[in-house]
Amino acid sequence: AQKTKVSENDVKPKKEEVAVNGEPKAEQGKSLMEQLRGEALKFHKTGENYTTEGYVVTPNTMSLLKKHLEFTGGQIRTRFPPEPNGILHIGHAKAINFNFGYAKANDGICFLRYDDTNPEKEEEKYFTAIRDMVEWLGYSPYKVTHASDNFQQLYDLAVDLIRRGHAYVCHQKGQDLKGHNAPPSPWKDRPIEESLVLFERMKKGLYAEGEATLRMKMVMEDGKLDPVAYRIKYTPHHRTGNEWCIYPTYDYTHCLCDSIENITHSLCTKEFQARRSSYYWLVNALDLYCPVQWEYGRLNLTYTVVSKRKIIKLVEAGVVRDWDDPRLFTLTALRRRGFPPEAINNFCARVGVTVSQTTTEPHLLESCVRDVLNDTAPRVMAVLEPLKITIVNLPENSRSDVRVPDFPANEARGSHTVPFTRTIFIEQSDFREVMEKGYKRLTPEQPVGLRHAGYVISVQKVIKDAQGKVVELEVNCCSSDSAEKPKAFIHWVSQPLVCEVRLYERLFLHKNPEDPSEVPNGFLSDINSNSMQVIRSALVDTSVKGAKVLDKFQFERVGYFSLDPDSTEDKLVFNRTVTLKEDPGKI
Amino acid sequence: MSDPVSSCTARLQLQEQEIRTLSAEIESLKNPQSLSPSPHLEQLRDENTKLKYRLNILKRNLQAERSHCSKHMMNVNLLLQDVFGDAIRASCPELDDPPLVVTPNQQAKFGDYQCNSAMAMAQMLKAKGIKISPREIAEKIIQNLPENDLIQKTEIAGPGFINVHLKRTFVSKLLSNLLLNGVQPPPLASKKKVVVDFSSPNIAKEMHVGHLRSTIIGDSMCRMFEFLGYDVLRLNHVGDWGTQFGMLIAHLQDKFPDYLTSSPPISDLQAFYKESKKRFDEEEDFKKRAYQCVVRLQSKEPEFIKGWNLICDVSRKEFQRVYNCLDIQIIERGESFYQDMMTEVVKEFEGKGLSQLDEGRRIVFAPGQSVPLTIVKSDGGFTYDTSDLAALRQRLFDEKADIIIYVTDSGQATHFQLVFAAAQMIGWYDPQVTRVEHAGFGVVLGEDKKKFKTRSGDTVRLMDLLDEGLKRSMDKLKDKERDKVLTPEELLKAQRSVAFGCIKYADLSHNRINDYVFSFDKMLDDRGNTAAYLLYALTRIRSITRLANIDEAMLRKAAETTEVLLDHEKEWKLGKCILRFPEILQKVLDDLLLHTLCDFLYELATTFTEFYDSCYCVEKDRQTGEVIKVNMWRMLLCEATATIMAKGFEILGINPVHRM
C-alpha cells in the first residue's frame, strides 16, 4: 500500500469551546479507534510485508513470511521499546498510544520491550517507572521482554554474521570514527576466521575497552560507514550480571529483537528513517524474518523541554522540585498534576499519527484534559482568596444542609451536602465596592445569588481594616424564590476546610525555549517566574474530606484540581490541573 | 645538541607541572571543607572497578577453558580454589586481595578438602576496623559459592574452617577420563621455555656424589617440566675453561709430542691431572709455560684448541658412562661457550656505570648485597661471576628462557644470589616475569653422618658407587630367589631398575635442601618409603589384572562403559588420592621440591594396599583357583593407580619393570 502523507487537519477533530458545565462529549472515546483505523488502512496485512514500499525482498522472504504467519496466526504484533535510562515524557505517550492502541484496535498484541543493551545507563528505578506509566495509560503489555533476554542468541547471530562475511573485528579508535569523513577501516578485509577468533577474544575479556569492536559491512543512509554491532564494556548489566563484557548496539539489537519477537509492524519515530535500510539489511543478511519498519512524526510540545539532561538541569537549578514537578511534561509530572490518562490518549489520537513532525501547543492537551475532567471530576466549592460574609438576618446558631449535585448537568449522578451557616466565605473578586458596567456579581447595590443554596444576598455593611481593605461584609439574605432573579450566582463555602492550593502556569516564556534564536541565553534563562503560585490557606467545602491522592475535582467557577501526594491528614494540597477555560485571564 | 636540551626542558616542564598539581592537591587536602576526593581518584576507582570486572571475566573463561579440555587431568584443588575464590571475593568486597587457602584433608571426618580463609580474612577485616567473626565469614562464603559440579556439600567446623565434600560423580568422571585419556598434564596457558642447568662436572676431574645429586635432581625436574608441556633445555655447564688447562696442555705436549696426529691414550685423566699439578707446583719453567699455554688457548690457536679438545673428550667419555647408567639426556655447554660473551658483559656493566674499580679489580655491587661480584680480576682475567653472568644473559636473550633453574649445592647460594641481583639491576629480567632460581641441595653424608668418603678416606668415584649399587641389587634379588623365577634378561633388567631406581629415589625422596645420608642398606629395603617398595607395589598391582585374565583392550572397554563406583570408603579414599596427582605436580612446580612427589607415590601405594586389603577385586574359587567374578570398577581403580604410579616413576627417572 502506498504511504500517503496525512495532514493534521484530516485527523484532528474540530476543536470546540468547552463550556464550563458543558455536555460531555460522547464520541470522544470512539475517536481514538477511528483514527487508528484510518492509519491502519494504510498498513500491510500480516504476512504481506512485501507490499510495503521500500521493503526488501530476498529469495528467502516468502518462505520466512510463511513461517512467520504460521507462528503468529495472522495476529498483529507491535512493541513499545523504550531504553530504560530515563523517565517517560509526553513524546513517549504517543509511542505507547500508537503501538498499544494499534494492536488493541486490531485484536493484536503489543510487547513492552526494554531496550537494555547499554549497561552503563540503566537503573532499576526506570524499569518500574516505565511499566507504571504504561499501565497508568491503561495498557497491559502482552509480555514484558528485554533485549538482554536475547544476549546469547544475539551473540550467536553475530558469529553467524561474521561467518557470512558481513562483519569484522575492527581496532579503529572511537575518536577516529567520529565526524563525517571517517576513514574506512583497514581491518575490513581481514579473513573471516581471524574475525571469528578475535570476536571470541573480545567476549573473553582479552581486549581493553575501545581496543576492538565488531562492525557490520554496510553503509547507512547518512553515509556512515560500517556501524558498530558490538563494543566492549567492563560494566555489569542489571539483568545479566557479570556474564558479558561485550554489549550489542541499538543498530544491531533493535531489528533482531523485532524479528525474534515476530513483530509485524515496527513503529518508530521519524529519526529512525535513516536506519531503516540498516534494519532491513541486517535481518536479511542473517536470513531472518523481516518486520516492516514504519516511521511517524515525533510529537513535540511547545513551552517545555523533555530531554533528560535538561530536566536534570532544571532540577539541579531548583527551578522545579523533581522529575514529577507538575509544570513538566514527563508522564509522572502530568499524572501528579492530575491529567487523566484517557485525556493523554485522546490527545495522542487528536494529534494523530502522521509522517510529518508535529509541534503542538500545550493548550490542545489541556483541552483534552478538560473534556475528560468535565465528565469525571465531581463539583465542589472552594474559595481561594476568601472574604468573610456574615448573614445578619439569620439566627446565631442557624445551620442547614445544602444539597450539591456532583454533576449539575446530570443530577442523577449523585450529590453531596455542605453546611450553610450564618458565616460564609466568598471569593474576594466576587465583590466590588464600586459598581462597574457589565459587572454582574456582588456590589453594595447589586445582590448576587449563592449557588445551590437557594439564597440571594445583599450587602448591609462593608467592614474595613485600618488600611481601608475590605475584610468582612454583613449581608441580608432572602430565598431566591422570593427575590428578584440575580444577575449571577457565585460559589461560597461555610465551615470549610483549610487547604493549600498550587496554581501552575507555563514554565517557559517562549514557545521554543531550546531555540537559540528565540532564547539566546539558553532555556534556563527563559523561566516564567510566575509558573507556580502557592495559596496556603484556601478554603474548600467539607465534601473533599477523605479524598485520596490524585482524586480530581472541579472547584466550581475556579478550575480542575487534583489532590497532591504532599497532602497530610491535617492539610490537603491541591494542584490546579487546568483552568476551566482556555484563558483564565477572562472573566 | 638542541634535541637533548629541548627534550630535557620538556621533561622539566612536565615535572614542574606535576609538582604544581601535587602541591595544589596537598593544599586542598589540608582544607577540611572539601571532603570530596579528587577527580583523579574517582577516575582511578572507576578504572579499578572495570579492571576487577575484566579480571573476573578472564578468570571465568580460563576456568571454562580448563574444564573444556577434559582430556587433561584436572587439578581439583585449583578448581576448588576458583570456586572459593569467587565466593570469597563476593563475601568480602572490602578486601582487595583476600587470602585463598584450600587444602586436602587428611582425616575423612573433616571432608575431602578444607578452606581456611575465613580466619585470615577476619584478621584483615579487624585491621580495617570491621569486626566480624570468622564463622560468620565462613557462612557468607558458603552462601556465595557459585554453582559448580564438584562440591557435594560444605560444613563449618571449629572457628571457621569450611569442610568440603566432593561429589562422587565428579570424582568418578575424572577417573574415567584418566583411564580413557591416560595421564595428560593439566593444560598449559602458553608453551614456556625452561633452562635447567644441572650436573655440571669439571673437565679433567672426577665426578663425585655432589654431581650425582645435581644430576638426579636436575634430570627429574626436567622430566617434570617436559611432562607438563614445557620446552626444556637441559644444559651441562661443565668447567672446561680455566688456568688448569694451561698446565694440562703443557704436560700433554711433553708426554705425547705427536698428540696432534695420533690420539694420546689417556685412560686415567685424574692421574694425568695430578702429574701436571705436581710439575706446576715444583718446576718454575713448566709453570711459566703453563701460563703461556693458557694465553695461547684463549687466543684460540688451533694446536692448543686441539689439545684442549683431546683432554675434554677423555672426561666426556667418563661422564657419559655415568649418564648412560642413570639414563640422563643433557647438552654440554661449558664455560668456554661463554668466553666472548664475558667481554661484552663487562662492557655492558661498564657502559651503564654499574661497575667500579677496586684495587685493580672491576667489581659490581648489586642492591641489597653486601659482597660485590668481581667481573674482572686484577690480572685482567674473568671469574665465575663473569661466566655465570654471561651464561644468564645468553639464556635470557638468546634462549629466551622464561624459567632458568640452577641445580647446584647450597654452598653456591650466595654466589647465585649475587649474580641474580646484578642481572636484575642491569635490567636483564624482571623477577615478576621471568623465574630465575637456584635450586640448592645439601651435601651427601656417609652412614657415619660425616662427609661421604671411601674407607681409605678418598673421594668416592661415582662409577664405583654405581657398580656397588648394581652388585648390592643383584644380591638382594638373589636373596629373594628371584633368579629362579626370572629369565636372565629379566633379572638383569630388574637389577638395573632396582639399583639405579633406588639410588635416585633415595636422593629425591629427601628434601633436597637438607644434607642426606647415603645408605645402600636403607635404599634397597623393600619396606618403607623406598624405590624397592614402590617398584614391587607397582608390579603387584599390574599382576592383579594379569591374573584375572584381563587384557588392555578389555580394560579400555570397561573404562568406556563401567562407572567407577566409589561407594566403599577405601575406594573413595583411593579415588581421591589418585586425582591429587596434578595438584602434587603443581606444588613441585612451585617449590621444586621433588620429595613431595615421592611422598605422594608412597601414600598412593599404601592407600592402594588399604583398598586392596578390604575390597575384593577378583573372586576366585577357593579350590580350583578359577576366576568366578571380576569387580570391573575395582580393576579400573587398580589400573588408574598403576597409571599414575608409572607416570610418577617416569618423572622421577625410575624405570619400572614388568616382572621382578
Side-chain angles (χ1 to χ4, degrees):
Chain A
Q2 191 82 9
K3 267 189 308 199
T4 48
K5 197 172 147 182
V6 184
S7 84
E8 234 180 276
N9 294 333
D10 289 346
V11 290
K12 201 162 81 178
K14 203 164 177 287
K15 206 172 140 306
E16 285 167 48
E17 263 308 317
V18 181
V20 174
N21 286 321
E23 288 294 315
K25 285 194 162 48
E27 76 280 5
Q28 199 65 55
K30 225 167 106 189
S31 89
L32 157 70
M33 294 301 173
E34 263 169 7
Q35 312 248 352
L36 286 171
R37 212 171 298 145
E39 283 309 308
L41 286 175
K42 297 173 187 67
F43 284 156
H44 70 273
K45 265 199 250 160
T46 55
E48 293 180 7
N49 298 23
Y50 51 87
T51 58
T52 308
E53 188 188 280
Y55 189 80
V56 179
V57 176
T58 73
N60 288 313
T61 298
M62 290 307 166
S63 69
L64 287 167
L65 283 176
K66 196 171 160 240
K67 249 190 247 161
H68 158 74
L69 211 52
E70 276 165 20
F71 180 84
T72 62
Q75 196 172 35
I76 299 261
R77 295 162 77 97
T78 59
R79 82 287 169 277
F80 170 57
E83 272 187 74
N85 64 3
I87 294 285
L88 298 186
H89 53 73
I90 186 73
H92 292 110
K94 184 171 173 185
I96 296 172
N97 175 272
F98 189 16
N99 277 293
F100 281 94
Y102 178 63
K104 202 171 177 181
N106 292 285
D107 289 327
I109 56 178
C110 181
F111 292 81
L112 167 58
R113 183 204 309 146
Y114 295 108
D115 184 13
D116 57 350
T117 58
N118 190 348
E120 283 160 352
K121 293 184 175 170
E122 288 152 16
E123 283 177 56
E124 186 60 38
K125 61 176 184 190
Y126 296 134
F127 283 84
T128 40
I130 288 171
R131 174 135 202 199
D132 259 14
M133 282 303 112
V134 169
E135 284 171 356
W136 177 65
L137 284 176
Y139 299 107
S140 44
Y142 165 70
K143 202 173 162 189
V144 178
T145 59
H146 301 77
S148 59
D149 296 341
N150 302 317
F151 274 173
Q152 185 59 47
Q153 196 177 349
L154 291 170
Y155 175 80
D156 295 341
L157 287 172
V159 171
D160 193 22
L161 196 67
I162 300 172
R163 280 219 181 90
R164 290 164 182 254
H166 293 311
Y168 60 95
V169 171
C170 174
H171 306 288
Q172 268 174 309
K173 294 272 172 283
Q175 65 258 27
D176 299 341
L177 296 174
K178 287 212 174 96
H180 280 292
N181 288 314
S185 171
W187 286 277
K188 186 165 187 159
D189 296 317
R190 78 186 333 160
I192 288 173
E193 283 306 315
E194 194 173 292
S195 279
L196 284 172
V197 170
L198 297 181
F199 187 49
E200 194 178 344
R201 287 194 188 158
M202 281 170 67
K203 179 178 163 245
K204 287 185 172 174
L206 271 73
Y207 287 105
E209 282 187 6
E211 276 181 2
T213 53
L214 183 72
R215 296 178 70 185
M216 300 179 269
K217 292 185 189 173
M218 60 105 43
V219 186
M220 311 253 287
E221 276 96 331
D222 57 3
K224 201 177 155 202
L225 281 179
D226 298 357
V228 170
Y230 269 90
R231 67 269 203 237
I232 298 165
K233 282 180 198 276
Y234 290 111
T235 308
H237 188 275
H238 78 105
R239 280 175 63 81
T240 58
N242 59 9
E243 197 183 336
W244 295 91
C245 66
I246 52 171
Y247 293 99
T249 58
Y250 172 86
D251 283 323
Y252 178 77
T253 312
H254 187 76
C255 57
L256 294 179
C257 286
D258 276 356
S259 176
I260 288 167
E261 286 174 1
N262 272 291
I263 298 303
T264 54
H265 299 76
S266 178
L267 311 172
C268 57
T269 51
K270 204 76 186 308
E271 310 89 272
F272 293 95
Q273 198 167 27
R275 284 149 133 166
R276 195 204 301 162
S277 68
S278 79
Y279 183 112
Y280 289 164
W281 175 85
L282 180 55
V283 276
N284 286 327
L286 287 164
D287 277 330
L288 298 172
Y289 158 72
C290 182
V292 171
Q293 174 172 324
W294 194 86
E295 307 92 13
Y296 57 90
R298 212 171 83 159
L299 170 63
N300 289 328
L301 222 52
T302 53
Y303 296 104
T304 190
V305 296
V306 290
S307 99
K308 181 183 170 184
R309 221 162 23 84
K310 286 177 179 144
I311 294 179
I312 286 175
K313 280 200 178 144
L314 289 172
V315 175
E316 278 171 354
V319 173
V320 296
R321 295 184 180 194
D322 207 341
W323 288 82
D324 62 349
D325 187 297
R327 287 165 289 179
L328 294 172
F329 281 80
T330 61
L331 292 182
T332 44
L334 297 182
R335 176 171 67 175
R336 182 167 184 179
R337 183 158 161 188
F339 282 28
E342 309 88 290
I344 293 172
N345 282 322
N346 290 344
F347 168 70
C348 292
R350 277 203 199 181
V351 171
V353 182
T354 68
V355 182
S356 59
Q357 178 149 316
T358 37
T359 300
T360 309
E361 296 202 17
H363 67 73
L364 178 60
L365 174 56
E366 288 175 6
S367 127
C368 291
V369 171
R370 273 185 209 104
D371 288 349
V372 172
L373 291 182
N374 184 37
D375 192 29
T376 55
R379 272 53 173 176
V380 300
M381 290 192 285
V383 172
L384 303 192
E385 286 164 323
L387 176 63
K388 188 179 176 189
I389 308 281
T390 307
I391 305 169
V392 290
N393 61 340
L394 283 182
E396 273 305 318
N397 292 321
S398 129
R399 188 182 192 281
S400 58
D401 282 341
V402 172
R403 200 184 67 87
V404 178
D406 291 342
F407 297 91
N410 183 357
E411 299 206 4
R413 291 181 67 187
S415 64
H416 54 274
T417 56
V418 293
F420 181 76
T421 64
R422 196 166 180 262
T423 305
I424 64 167
F425 300 88
I426 65 166
E427 293 285 353
Q428 288 170 18
S429 60
D430 282 341
F431 168 73
R432 282 195 191 176
E433 232 186 328
V434 183
M435 177 62 189
E436 228 174 272
K437 196 175 183 311
Y439 187 75
K440 292 172 180 163
R441 288 159 286 163
L442 189 64
T443 68
E445 296 81 27
Q446 179 170 278
V448 76
L450 298 177
R451 281 187 68 80
H452 308 300
Y455 288 110
V456 176
I457 54 170
S458 43
V459 176
Q460 297 299 306
K461 186 180 174 190
V462 179
I463 301 167
K464 297 181 182 176
D465 64 7
Q467 283 76 42
K469 188 176 179 263
V470 178
V471 290
E472 192 184 335
L473 299 176
E474 287 182 1
V475 301
N476 269 331
C477 78
C478 58
S479 164
S480 49
D481 302 332
S482 56
E484 190 184 331
K485 192 174 191 301
K487 283 184 178 156
F489 284 87
I490 59 169
H491 64 278
W492 51 273
V493 291
S494 179
Q495 295 182 340
L497 301 171
V498 177
C499 65
E500 181 176 317
V501 166
R502 296 174 184 166
L503 307 176
Y504 299 105
E505 281 172 42
R506 280 171 191 157
L507 185 54
F508 295 99
L509 299 168
H510 290 83
K511 222 172 175 176
N512 300 301
E514 292 161 277
D515 182 350
S517 61
E518 241 177 89
V519 183
N521 294 326
F523 70 99
L524 282 176
S525 69
D526 194 44
I527 304 297
N528 172 8
S529 54
N530 295 320
S531 60
M532 178 166 85
Q533 190 196 340
V534 178
I535 298 167
R536 298 203 188 278
S537 346
L539 304 174
V540 63
D541 76 42
T542 48
S543 69
V544 301
K545 203 172 178 181
K548 291 189 296 297
V549 169
L550 296 185
D551 276 356
K552 294 156 185 70
F553 301 97
Q554 187 195 94
F555 290 179
E556 285 197 62
R557 298 185 59 240
V558 179
Y560 292 103
F561 287 80
S562 171
L563 194 69
D564 190 86
D566 285 348
S567 302
T568 62
E569 290 249 335
D570 304 326
K571 190 165 194 182
L572 299 177
V573 178
F574 286 97
N575 290 317
R576 184 169 71 196
T577 309
V578 281
T579 54
L580 287 183
K581 291 182 183 176
E582 194 176 305
D583 187 350
K586 287 182 211 159
I587 299 169
Chain B
M1 271 316 280
S2 76
D3 227 3
V5 170
S6 64
S7 81
C8 280
T9 316
R11 248 170 62 194
L12 278 175
Q13 278 170 347
L14 217 77
Q15 281 167 359
E16 280 187 13
Q17 197 188 339
E18 202 159 314
I19 289 168
R20 279 197 296 274
T21 340
L22 285 172
S23 333
E25 196 155 324
I26 290 167
E27 275 313 305
S28 79
L29 284 173
K30 279 183 193 163
N31 182 2
Q33 283 156 349
S34 74
L35 282 169
S36 63
S38 74
H40 188 53
L41 178 68
E42 218 36 59
Q43 206 182 324
L44 287 173
R45 278 196 179 135
D46 280 356
E47 201 182 320
N48 190 35
T49 317
K50 285 190 173 253
L51 284 171
K52 278 185 179 167
Y53 187 85
R54 186 175 174 191
L55 183 69
N56 182 32
I57 297 250
L58 284 167
K59 276 193 175 161
R60 197 174 54 224
N61 282 304
L62 192 68
Q63 196 183 342
E65 211 120 295
R66 278 203 203 112
S67 53
H68 263 296
C69 314
S70 58
K71 258 181 76 175
H72 298 270
M73 274 194 90
M74 280 201 265
N75 185 334
V76 177
N77 196 336
L78 215 59
L79 292 177
L80 284 172
Q81 286 191 26
D82 284 342
V83 169
F84 272 93
D86 282 353
I88 284 170
R89 276 188 297 277
S91 330
C92 263
E94 302 93 328
L95 295 178
D96 288 331
D97 194 14
L100 174 56
V101 194
V102 179
T103 48
N105 260 344
Q106 291 309 320
Q107 280 172 280
K109 63 174 174 177
F110 295 135
D112 307 313
Y113 282 83
Q114 196 170 64
C115 170
N116 302 339
S117 296
M119 277 66 73
M121 284 164 75
Q123 287 289 327
M124 286 170 83
L125 285 170
K126 199 176 166 192
K128 283 192 152 199
I130 304 166
K131 265 195 96 172
I132 176 162
S133 77
R135 254 191 111 87
E136 280 173 75
I137 296 175
E139 270 160 22
K140 266 194 184 172
I141 294 173
I142 288 177
Q143 278 162 16
N144 281 306
L145 279 175
E147 241 180 86
N148 63 76
D149 55 3
L150 63 160
I151 298 176
Q152 176 73 44
K153 63 165 182 172
T154 52
E155 64 214 1
I156 300 175
F161 298 104
I162 302 171
N163 293 336
V164 181
H165 298 260
L166 294 177
K167 266 192 193 153
R168 283 181 199 242
T169 47
F170 173 75
V171 171
S172 170
K173 208 180 118 223
L174 290 189
L175 287 168
S176 296
N177 281 344
L178 167 65
L179 287 159
L180 288 171
N181 302 308
V183 192
Q184 301 290 341
L188 207 59
S190 61
K191 201 174 175 81
K192 286 189 176 175
K193 174 99 180 229
V194 190
V195 170
V196 184
D197 175 329
F198 69 104
S199 196
S200 310
N202 288 314
I203 296 288
K205 287 186 192 166
E206 198 67 50
M207 264 177 114
H208 55 77
V209 283
H211 296 121
L212 180 68
R213 287 211 83 182
S214 175
T215 307
I216 291 171
I217 295 169
D219 174 59
S220 183
M221 282 180 189
C222 291
R223 287 167 182 268
M224 179 188 65
F225 279 115
E226 282 156 0
F227 169 67
L228 291 173
Y230 290 78
D231 179 8
V232 181
L233 180 63
R234 303 156 161 253
L235 287 185
N236 201 355
H237 189 73
V238 295
D240 61 355
W241 206 249
T243 44
Q244 78 268 31
F245 285 96
M247 69 184 196
L248 285 168
I249 293 170
H251 190 54
L252 182 76
Q253 287 171 335
D254 292 350
K255 219 174 165 187
F256 306 101
D258 60 345
Y259 73 94
L260 288 174
T261 46
S262 67
S263 275
I266 312 172
S267 58
D268 192 342
L269 193 59
Q270 224 183 5
F272 189 80
Y273 183 90
K274 276 182 188 159
E275 282 166 32
S276 61
K277 175 80 172 130
K278 193 163 177 254
R279 288 181 68 194
F280 185 83
D281 291 342
E282 290 168 4
E283 300 171 29
E284 199 51 42
D285 262 9
F286 182 82
K287 192 172 180 175
K288 250 188 199 160
R289 258 188 48 230
Y291 277 128
Q292 282 164 3
C293 286
V294 173
V295 174
R296 297 178 76 176
L297 173 65
Q298 294 198 340
S299 55
K300 308 223 166 89
E301 280 186 38
E303 291 166 39
F304 290 81
I305 291 288
K306 167 103 192 199
W308 171 71
N309 264 327
L310 282 172
I311 294 162
C312 289
D313 277 344
V314 178
S315 270
R316 278 185 195 121
K317 271 180 209 148
E318 286 284 318
F319 300 158
Q320 198 54 48
R321 278 179 65 202
V322 174
Y323 295 148
N324 286 347
C325 282
L326 299 175
D327 191 16
I328 306 295
Q329 301 293 323
I330 193 162
I331 294 169
E332 185 193 309
R333 193 180 278 175
E335 288 163 352
S336 60
F337 179 85
Y338 305 99
Q339 179 64 23
D340 298 336
M341 300 171 203
M342 290 194 246
T343 327
E344 278 172 43
V345 165
V346 174
K347 258 196 223 156
E348 195 178 332
F349 273 96
E350 261 188 73
K352 291 196 174 161
L354 294 171
S355 68
Q356 60 195 79
L357 283 171
D358 175 71
E359 295 174 358
R361 300 177 305 158
R362 183 161 286 283
I363 58 171
V364 172
F365 273 102
Q369 308 294 326
S370 51
V371 198
L373 287 157
T374 303
I375 54 170
V376 185
K377 291 191 286 188
S378 46
D379 65 1
F382 298 136
T383 67
Y384 280 131
D385 294 345
T386 332
S387 65
D388 276 326
L389 280 170
L392 179 55
R393 185 164 166 269
Q394 195 272 342
R395 289 162 189 181
L396 287 166
F397 293 101
D398 298 351
E399 299 299 345
K400 300 190 168 49
D402 301 295
I403 301 175
I404 304 173
I405 293 163
Y406 294 83
V407 188
T408 76
D409 67 85
S410 298
Q412 299 188 46
T414 328
H415 163 70
F416 280 111
Q417 210 179 331
L418 287 173
V419 171
F420 299 161
Q424 286 170 39
M425 174 178 71
I426 203 166
W428 288 347
Y429 77 95
D430 173 359
Q432 303 283 338
V433 180
T434 313
R435 179 177 177 188
V436 180
E437 206 170 313
H438 172 238
F441 52 80
V443 297
V444 183
L445 302 175
E447 282 180 272
D448 53 0
K449 303 276 166 68
K450 285 182 185 154
K451 216 170 167 203
F452 196 58
K453 293 266 163 121
T454 59
R455 291 224 173 94
S456 56
D458 286 337
T459 321
V460 179
R461 289 182 70 224
L462 209 45
M463 255 343 279
D464 295 347
L465 189 77
L466 296 179
D467 286 342
E468 165 89 5
L470 283 172
K471 191 183 142 292
R472 298 261 205 142
S473 156
M474 186 55 91
D475 291 349
K476 192 95 189 175
L477 287 165
K478 284 183 176 163
D479 269 1
K480 298 195 147 215
E481 302 191 321
R482 302 308 291 166
D483 51 336
K484 288 171 186 152
V485 183
L486 302 174
T487 66
E489 267 168 36
E490 282 175 338
L491 187 65
L492 218 62
K493 262 192 177 173
Q495 179 199 14
R496 288 179 71 87
S497 167
V498 170
F500 303 136
C502 285
I503 291 172
K504 285 184 178 182
Y505 191 84
D507 200 326
L508 295 168
S509 63
H510 290 88
N511 186 329
R512 65 171 158 78
I513 291 158
N514 302 335
D515 294 345
Y516 125 81
V517 177
F518 192 97
S519 160
F520 275 124
D521 289 336
K522 271 194 186 149
M523 64 179 74
L524 289 166
D525 194 335
D526 55 13
R527 291 156 303 167
N529 188 5
T530 66
Y533 168 74
L534 292 175
L535 285 166
Y536 278 121
L538 179 57
T539 46
R540 204 177 68 229
I541 299 169
R542 292 259 190 240
S543 70
I544 295 169
T545 39
R546 200 167 57 231
L547 294 173
N549 304 319
I550 289 169
D551 61 19
E552 247 176 71
M554 287 161 81
L555 272 175
R556 195 172 166 80
K557 184 116 209 320
E560 279 167 11
T561 53
T562 312
E563 189 193 341
V564 183
L565 297 176
L566 298 163
D567 297 336
H568 194 284
E569 170 206 348
K570 299 295 180 190
E571 292 171 344
W572 177 236
K573 190 177 173 189
L574 179 62
K576 284 184 301 173
C577 188
I578 292 169
L579 293 180
R580 267 178 45 223
F581 188 58
E583 71 183 72
I584 296 295
L585 290 186
Q586 182 60 50
K587 187 169 183 307
V588 178
L589 188 65
D590 291 341
D591 59 19
L592 301 174
L593 294 172
L594 287 151
H595 70 274
T596 312
L597 177 57
C598 299
D599 291 346
F600 168 73
L601 290 177
Y602 182 59
E603 187 190 330
L604 183 60
T606 50
T607 309
F608 179 83
T609 308
E610 282 179 40
F611 154 79
Y612 194 64
D613 288 349
S614 39
C615 300
Y616 284 114
C617 293
V618 183
E619 287 167 38
K620 288 184 178 182
D621 189 293
R622 276 176 201 278
Q623 263 92 52
T624 62
E626 207 182 319
V627 176
I628 299 169
K629 188 183 166 202
V630 175
N631 292 326
M632 204 38 123
W633 79 93
R634 286 180 178 157
M635 301 310 278
L636 291 176
L637 274 171
C638 293
E639 177 60 18
T641 309
T643 324
I644 291 289
M645 281 188 82
K647 185 51 79 179
F649 282 148
E650 194 185 308
I651 289 171
L652 296 175
I654 296 171
N655 187 21
V657 283
H658 284 294
R659 295 188 70 200
M660 63 186 281

